[in-house]
Amino acid sequence: MQMRKENNTIGDKIVTKKLSSGMKCYIIPKDGYGEKMAVLSARFGSNDIVYRRPTEEQKHHMPLGTAHFIEHKLFEQSWGDAFTKFSQQGASANAFTDFQKTAYYFSCQENFYENLKLLLSFVQHPHFRQEATEQEKKIIANEITMYDDDPNWIVFFQLLENMYHNHTVKNPIAGTVESIQEISADILQKSYQAYYTPENFFLVCAGDIDSQKVLELAENTMKSTNGHRAVSLFEKEPDTVVKQYAEKNMSLVKPIFQIGFKQKAQEDIKSMKQMYLLRMALDILGGESSSFFEKAYEKEWIQEPLGCEFFSGEGYAFTAFSGIGTEPKKTAQLLLTEIEQIQKQGISEEVFERAKKKQIGRMIRGFDSIYAICISQLELAMKNRDLFDGFHILQSIKKEEVQRVFQKDFSENVMTISVVN
């Protein structure tokens, strides 16, 4: 069934439809825009390393980095290189893998429908060869080595190792130099068949495009299969953190750090609301107009506001504050003091309204960027929701709900600090 939503506040519309193959489409027409973009994503990321097919009892284990490895190899087709073909058709193409998904995308000014057909076609035709797989291991090993030399990458995954006992979110997205040696063309093919099924795909398109033409092209190009998406399996994760502090010496001029709080993961619509509630809470707590930043800046512990992000997915949720400074432990303690103040005194109406308007304004501004539209909608598609759902949920948030976040989601016993100096 095709659905069309319109939003009078931002003057846009979203067309959604589930195709006969099972793939879900989200199309955001933007009349008069020169840039056009399409993203095709499989719900298959670095977290998915143990799975079971719906018709089987047997568990299958994949080496760390398998999803990322498939991303690298899928552009290699029996007829040549898909990257080159996109370029010949006037498009810039790329792909990425994160914890929950692998996304393939392109942007262009012209030949949108030709490029869309290419996007939908090549992801359905893997061409995994053992010789090419062995060659790719060297390339990915070099990429992993680069990550291992990146302090920002190290401080983030050190934080996750501090937080998570069992959940696979603590593992590096590209795997390790050792784990990718276990990957073969046969493993890639079996993993592809387990997760690259139409019902496991999302297509997001935005720009000056004809939604009906997009849907017809997708319907004709995306073929139904007999397979069903594999079910990813995760070990039970305790609420506690593994440890509350870790540091690594990389001889930096000034230490970088991340302060994290482990939260309970929510599902579906609750997960979506949790995301907006936490984003507002993070801005109130650590944003540039916060009491915390003013005090930390005066003490010369930090020179600019902390980066604040909320991450969530199947079986995990956490917030991370990132910064540069010589006193990460004292900074974390000041953050706890500010949390306690908010827990006792609450949030003023003025502070709440400012944070809410900031989030709404950010979302509205995002509708002016084709890239921001596609990536934001892709994130919400993982929760089976669209941008207008997000807009309405954000508008409905009450001060009391944000205050409850401070009461239940920020406490010292689920806080951990990661430092690279």
Side-chain angles (χ1 to χ4, degrees), residues 2 5 15 35 37 58 63 75 77 81 96-97 109 137 157 159 171 186 192 214 246 255 273 301-302 336 364 368 408:
Q2 181 176 321
K5 295 183 181 179
V15 178
E35 183 186 10
M37 183 172 175
Q58 179 186 359
F75 282 93
Q77 296 284 292
D81 180 51
F96 66 85
T97 304
Q109 298 278 336
K137 288 178 182 180
F157 278 95
L159 184 80
N171 298 317
D186 183 58
Y192 175 93
V214 169
K273 191 160 194 173
W301 293 347
I302 55 176
L336 284 174
I364 292 174
D368 288 331
K408 66 183 181 66

Side-chain angles (χ1 to χ4, degrees), residues 25-26 28 49 108 112 144 154 191 232 272 333 398 420:
C25 299
Y26 300 84
I28 302 94
I49 59 173
C108 63
F112 174 78
I144 292 169
I154 296 297
S191 302
S232 296
M272 194 172 176
Q333 193 57 50
K398 298 177 175 57
V420 174

